């Protein structure tokens, strides 16, 4: 490859002397220049006839990109409340304040203040979980996937776990029950069929090597029709400890049909695990709750130390649990959103948006949003959306995502729809400005 090809590119030093880059922090300009020039050299190797566009402008754009934090606040206009790609549950004011309080200073994360001795990391949340679920003991790990791995590793390594064929599910990403089981060193013993499994199927499979019976909440799908699934109580009486992965779970009744954690424990499950950032409305976490001896075995397993949560998560989780225990559920943004009548909010949003430049039109329409996060599958959230039509909706959706702040909307056939359910209080005005900017950028093209 001849250096001739690269002649149209400046050296890094030459580029850095350009006045357009002179005002940038040196380290940033250097990183951006190297990144752009490396990319362009590669492109020239592939296509020697490539006409290189303005190199300096590209370096400035790259520097701007590098200087922008990657993880940013975005406006969720999808109407999906627990949107995993958008960080699941937005936290309550109380949880935000609690996190902020411990984040900038020291805390008694592992110090018992009265004695001055080492204290337990979970002392703040254990009592709250006991009060809310009636569990004997509980621990918290990084997320519910980690909770399942820890439970299986601590209680069933090298032994059998009996699971219904209807519950060998994939939750998302690479979280598949049979694979998690294999990774934990437990042996999967499948019973029943995809649509029908009875307590007698479990009973027949129980043997000397059975460590656990396990039920997995089929979070993100629903089997309907000719189906049968034994209750918690039926399985709890069979002998081996029953573990239930509740997925989302709900601490209090009234949020759709999700199993209520305390009821499952009362019905006889020895151990349950569930997520902190699904219907609970807190930070990402996995909670393991149930019988003392089983929780203790999980805590004593070496993996627990690897999966434990940090002080920020604990602060946010404790504050969230206090809100639930206090009964002020409307303080949780997720609960507020799930119960919201979106009609008035959609009307207000449409009025604020007003008339848009041609060819765009704005209308109010009925639609369906979702809880998300694998909770309440098949249970849509009837809603009213603001629908924008007339132009290139995919291009508009992209511009909205690339705006500041980014806005994530839903595209439905020929319409871009904005569901007010997940647009938080105070975000409407910003959303309207972002929309105007995205539309004017589109016109300018
Ligand atoms: C969501 C879910 C998980 C994973 O929980 P994370 O907190 O996302 O790790 C595991 N099991 C079930 C049944 C779920 O619904």
């Amino acid at each position: 490859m001849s250096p001739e090809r690269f002649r149209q590119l400046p050296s890094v030093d030459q580029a850095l002397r350009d006045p357009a880059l002179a005002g940038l922090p040196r380290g940033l300009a250097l990183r951006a220049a190297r990144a752009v020039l490396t990319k362009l050299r590669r492109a020239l190797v592939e296509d020697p006839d490539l006409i290189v566009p303005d190199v300096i402008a590209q370096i400035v754009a790259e520097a701007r990109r590098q200087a922008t934090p990657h993880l940013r606040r975005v406006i969720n206009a999808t109407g999906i409340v627990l949107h995993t790609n958008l960080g699941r549950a937005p936290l309550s004011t109380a949880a935000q304040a609690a996190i902020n309080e411990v984040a900038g200073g020291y805390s008694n994360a592992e110090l018992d203040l009265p004695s001055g001795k080492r204290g337990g990391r979970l002392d703040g949340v254990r009592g709250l979980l006991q009060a809310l679920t009636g569990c004997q003991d509980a621990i918290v790990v990084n997320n519910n996937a980690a909770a399942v791995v820890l439970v299986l590793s601590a209680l069933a390594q090298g032994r059998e776990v009996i699971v219904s064929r209807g519950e060998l599910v994939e939750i998302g990403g690479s979280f598949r029950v049979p694979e998690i089981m294999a990774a934990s060193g437990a042996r999967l013993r499948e019973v029943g069929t995809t649509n029908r499994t009875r307590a007698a199927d479990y009973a027949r499979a129980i043997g000397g090597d059975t460590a656990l019976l396990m039920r997995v909440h089929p979070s993100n799908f629903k089997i309907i029709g000719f189906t049968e699934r034994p209750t918690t109580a039926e399985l709890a009486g069979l002998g081996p400890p029953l573990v239930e992965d509740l997925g989302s779970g709900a601490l209090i009744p009234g949020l759709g049909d999700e199993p209520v954690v305390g009821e499952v424990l009362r019905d006889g499950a020895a151990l349950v695990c569930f997520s902190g950032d699904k219907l609970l409305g807190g930070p990402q976490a996995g909670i393991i709750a149930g019988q003392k001896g089983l929780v203790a075995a999980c805590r004593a397993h070496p993996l627990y130390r690897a999966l434990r949560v940090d002080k920020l998560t604990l602060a946010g989780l404790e504050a969230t649990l206090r809100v639930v225990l206090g009964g002020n559920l409307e303080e949780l943004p997720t609960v507020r959103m799930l119960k919201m009548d979106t009609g008035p909010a959609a009307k207000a949003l449409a009025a604020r948006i007003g008339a848009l430049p041609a060819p765009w039109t704005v209308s109010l329409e009925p639609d369906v949003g979702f809880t998300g996060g694998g909770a309440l599958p098949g249970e849509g959230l009837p809603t009213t959306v603001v629908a924008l039509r007339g132009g290139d909706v995919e291009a508009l959706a992209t511009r909205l995502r690339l705006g500041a702040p980014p806005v994530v909307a839903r595209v439905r056939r020929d319409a871009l729809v904005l569901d007010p359910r997940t647009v938080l209080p105070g975000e409407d005005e910003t959303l309207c400005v972002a929309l105007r900017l995205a539309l004017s950028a589109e016109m300018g093209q």
Side-chain angles (χ1 to χ4, degrees), residues 270-287:
L271 214 55
V272 295
C273 58
F274 55 99
S275 288
D277 57 353
K278 291 184 179 172
L279 282 183
L280 173 51
Q284 179 187 302
I287 295 153

Side-chain angles (χ1 to χ4, degrees), residues 88 143-146 148 171 175 216-217 219 245-248 275-278 285 373-374:
R88 292 211 184 134
N143 53 25
N144 191 30
V148 176
I171 302 299
F175 188 85
V216 183
H217 186 60
S219 301
D245 171 10
L246 299 176
S248 176
S275 288
D277 57 353
K278 291 184 179 172

Side-chain angles (χ1 to χ4, degrees), residues 148-190:
V148 176
V149 171
L150 178 57
V151 166
L152 291 172
S153 304
L155 305 177
Q157 205 151 49
R159 300 178 64 200
E160 267 183 15
V161 179
I162 303 177
V163 187
S164 159
R165 291 197 168 89
E167 297 175 14
L168 297 175
V169 298
E170 171 170 324
I171 302 299
S174 51
F175 188 85
R176 294 169 143 194
V177 172
E179 286 161 27
I180 291 295
M181 195 84 71
S184 314
R187 280 201 315 279
L188 170 64
R189 176 81 189 265
E190 304 177 21

Side-chain angles (χ1 to χ4, degrees), residues 2 24 40 52 66-67 72 95 97 102 221 234 236 248 338 383 401 415:
S2 111
L24 297 177
L40 289 174
V52 175
Q66 287 194 13
R72 285 186 291 162
V102 299
F221 72 101
E234 284 174 293
S248 176
L338 287 169
T383 187
R401 280 199 313 276

